[in-house]
Amino acid sequence: RRSDSPSYHIITAPGMSTSMSLLRISGYVGRRTRGVLTRPQHSYQKKRALSTSVWKNVEVDNTGSIARDLLATERTFLAWARTGLGFVGAGSALAAAYHRHNASLAPTVYPASVLLIGNGAFLLAFATRRYYTVLSALRRDRFPINTFDTIMAVALTSVTTMASLGIVSFAELEAAKKDQQEEPEGERESK
C-alpha cells in the first residue's frame, strides 16, 4: 500500500552519529551529510556530477563551520595563486629588462626567466589541485593535512629561484669581467 506522504525511517548503526545516519525516504536509501540528503549515484553519474560541478555553484547548508572552512580554502588558494602569478611576472620582467637594456646578456638570462615562469606555473597548478582536493574532502566531512606536497612545493620553488638568481649573478659577473678586459690600457692607468 502506497501513501502520498513520504515515510522517513532513520536507521543508525551503533556509534554512528545522526549527521551520518542513513535515511530511507520514499523507496531509496540516501546518506545524510551535514544536513544535505544525497542520493546514491552510479559511477557514470558521479563522473558527470564532478565534471559539471566546476561550472555551476553548489549550495550547502551553513551548519557548523562549513562557510568558514570553504572561505578559508578559497583564501589559501588565492594566496598560492597570487604567489604563482608573482613568479610569472618576475620571470617576464627579467626577460624584458635584459632584452631591452642589456641585449648581449639576454640569451644568458633567459633560462633564469624560464625557471621563474615555471615556478609560477607550478604554483598555479599546485594551488588549483590543492583547492579541489580540500574542497572534495570538506564535502565528505574530512580535511586532508598534506604537509609533504607543501614542503615539496616550497623546496622546489626555493631551489629554482636560487638557481635563477645564480644564473643572473653569473651572467652579470661574466659581463663585468669581459668589460674590464676590453677596457683600454690608458683608461685603467688614469683611474
Side-chain angles (χ1 to χ4, degrees), residues 19-20 32-37 60-67 69 138-142:
S19 65
M20 296 298 291
R32 186 174 177 90
T33 305
R34 290 197 181 198
V36 178
L37 182 66
V60 296
D61 291 339
N62 188 15
T63 59
S65 63
I66 295 174
D69 293 344
L138 287 175
R139 286 182 181 166
R140 294 187 316 267
D141 291 333
R142 309 289 297 163

Coordinates of all heavy atoms in Angstrom, one line a residue, residues 19-20 32-37 60-67 69 138-142:
S19 N 24.2 12.8 12.1 CA 24.5 13.5 10.8 C 25.0 12.5 9.7 O 24.9 12.8 8.5 CB 25.6 14.6 11.0 OG 26.8 13.9 11.3
M20 N 25.4 11.4 10.1 CA 25.8 10.4 9.1 C 24.8 9.2 9.0 O 25.1 8.2 8.5 CB 27.2 9.8 9.5 CG 28.3 10.8 9.5 SD 28.6 11.5 7.9 CE 29.3 10.1 7.0
R32 N 22.9 11.0 4.7 CA 22.7 12.3 5.1 C 24.1 12.9 5.6 O 24.7 12.3 6.5 CB 21.7 12.4 6.2 CG 21.3 13.7 6.7 CD 20.2 13.7 7.7 NE 19.9 15.0 8.1 CZ 19.0 15.8 7.6 NH1 18.3 15.4 6.5 NH2 18.7 17.0 8.1
T33 N 24.5 14.0 5.0 CA 25.8 14.6 5.3 C 25.6 16.0 5.6 O 25.2 16.8 4.7 CB 26.8 14.4 4.2 OG1 26.9 13.0 3.9 CG2 28.2 14.9 4.6
R34 N 25.9 16.5 6.8 CA 25.7 17.9 7.1 C 24.4 18.5 6.7 O 24.3 19.6 6.2 CB 26.8 18.8 6.5 CG 28.2 18.5 7.1 CD 29.1 19.6 6.7 NE 30.4 19.3 7.3 CZ 31.3 20.2 7.4 NH1 31.1 21.4 7.0 NH2 32.5 19.9 7.9
G35 N 23.4 17.8 7.0 CA 22.0 18.3 6.7 C 21.6 18.2 5.3 O 20.5 18.7 4.9
V36 N 22.4 17.7 4.4 CA 22.1 17.5 3.0 C 21.9 16.1 2.6 O 22.7 15.3 2.9 CB 23.2 18.1 2.1 CG1 22.8 18.0 0.6 CG2 23.4 19.6 2.4
L37 N 20.7 15.7 2.1 CA 20.5 14.3 1.7 C 21.0 14.1 0.3 O 20.6 14.8 -0.6 CB 19.0 14.1 1.8 CG 18.6 12.6 1.5 CD1 19.1 11.7 2.6 CD2 17.1 12.5 1.4
V60 N 25.1 24.5 -0.1 CA 25.1 23.5 1.0 C 24.5 24.3 2.2 O 24.5 25.5 2.3 CB 26.4 22.9 1.4 CG1 27.0 22.1 0.3 CG2 27.4 24.0 1.8
D61 N 24.0 23.5 3.2 CA 23.5 24.2 4.4 C 24.7 24.7 5.2 O 25.7 24.1 5.3 CB 22.8 23.1 5.3 CG 21.4 22.7 4.7 OD1 20.9 23.5 3.8 OD2 20.9 21.6 5.0
N62 N 24.5 25.9 5.8 CA 25.6 26.5 6.5 C 25.5 26.1 8.0 O 25.0 26.9 8.9 CB 25.5 28.0 6.4 CG 26.7 28.7 7.0 OD1 27.7 28.1 7.3 ND2 26.6 30.0 7.2
T63 N 25.8 24.8 8.3 CA 25.8 24.3 9.6 C 27.2 24.2 10.1 O 28.1 23.8 9.3 CB 25.0 23.0 9.7 OG1 25.7 22.1 8.8 CG2 23.6 23.2 9.3
G64 N 27.5 24.4 11.3 CA 28.8 24.2 11.9 C 29.7 25.3 11.3 O 29.5 26.5 11.4
S65 N 30.8 24.8 10.7 CA 31.8 25.7 10.2 C 32.0 25.6 8.7 O 33.1 25.8 8.2 CB 33.1 25.5 10.9 OG 33.6 24.2 10.7
I66 N 31.0 25.2 8.0 CA 31.2 24.9 6.5 C 31.6 26.2 5.8 O 32.5 26.2 5.1 CB 29.8 24.4 5.9 CG1 29.5 23.0 6.5 CG2 30.0 24.3 4.4 CD1 28.2 22.5 6.0
A67 N 30.9 27.3 6.0 CA 31.2 28.5 5.3 C 32.6 29.0 5.7 O 33.3 29.4 4.8 CB 30.2 29.6 5.7
D69 N 35.2 27.2 6.6 CA 36.1 26.3 6.0 C 36.3 26.6 4.5 O 37.4 26.6 4.0 CB 35.8 24.9 6.3 CG 35.8 24.5 7.7 OD1 36.5 25.2 8.5 OD2 35.3 23.5 8.1
L138 N 36.3 18.3 2.2 CA 35.3 19.0 3.1 C 33.9 18.5 2.8 O 33.0 18.5 3.7 CB 35.4 20.5 2.9 CG 36.6 21.2 3.5 CD1 36.6 22.7 3.1 CD2 36.6 21.0 5.0
R139 N 33.6 18.2 1.5 CA 32.3 17.7 1.2 C 32.0 16.3 1.9 O 30.9 15.9 2.1 CB 32.1 17.6 -0.3 CG 31.9 18.9 -1.0 CD 31.7 18.7 -2.5 NE 31.6 20.0 -3.1 CZ 31.6 20.2 -4.4 NH1 31.9 19.2 -5.2 NH2 31.5 21.4 -4.9
R140 N 33.1 15.6 2.2 CA 33.0 14.3 2.8 C 33.2 14.4 4.3 O 33.4 13.5 5.0 CB 34.0 13.3 2.3 CG 33.8 13.0 0.8 CD 34.8 11.9 0.4 NE 36.1 12.1 0.8 CZ 37.1 12.7 0.1 NH1 36.8 13.2 -1.0 NH2 38.3 12.8 0.6
D141 N 33.2 15.7 4.9 CA 33.4 15.9 6.3 C 34.8 15.5 6.7 O 35.0 15.0 7.9 CB 32.4 15.2 7.2 CG 31.0 15.8 7.0 OD1 30.9 17.0 6.7 OD2 30.0 15.1 7.3
R142 N 35.8 15.7 5.9 CA 37.1 15.4 6.2 C 38.0 16.6 5.9 O 37.6 17.5 5.2 CB 37.6 14.2 5.3 CG 36.8 13.0 5.4 CD 36.8 12.2 6.7 NE 38.1 11.7 6.9 CZ 38.5 11.3 8.1 NH1 37.7 11.3 9.1 NH2 39.7 10.8 8.3

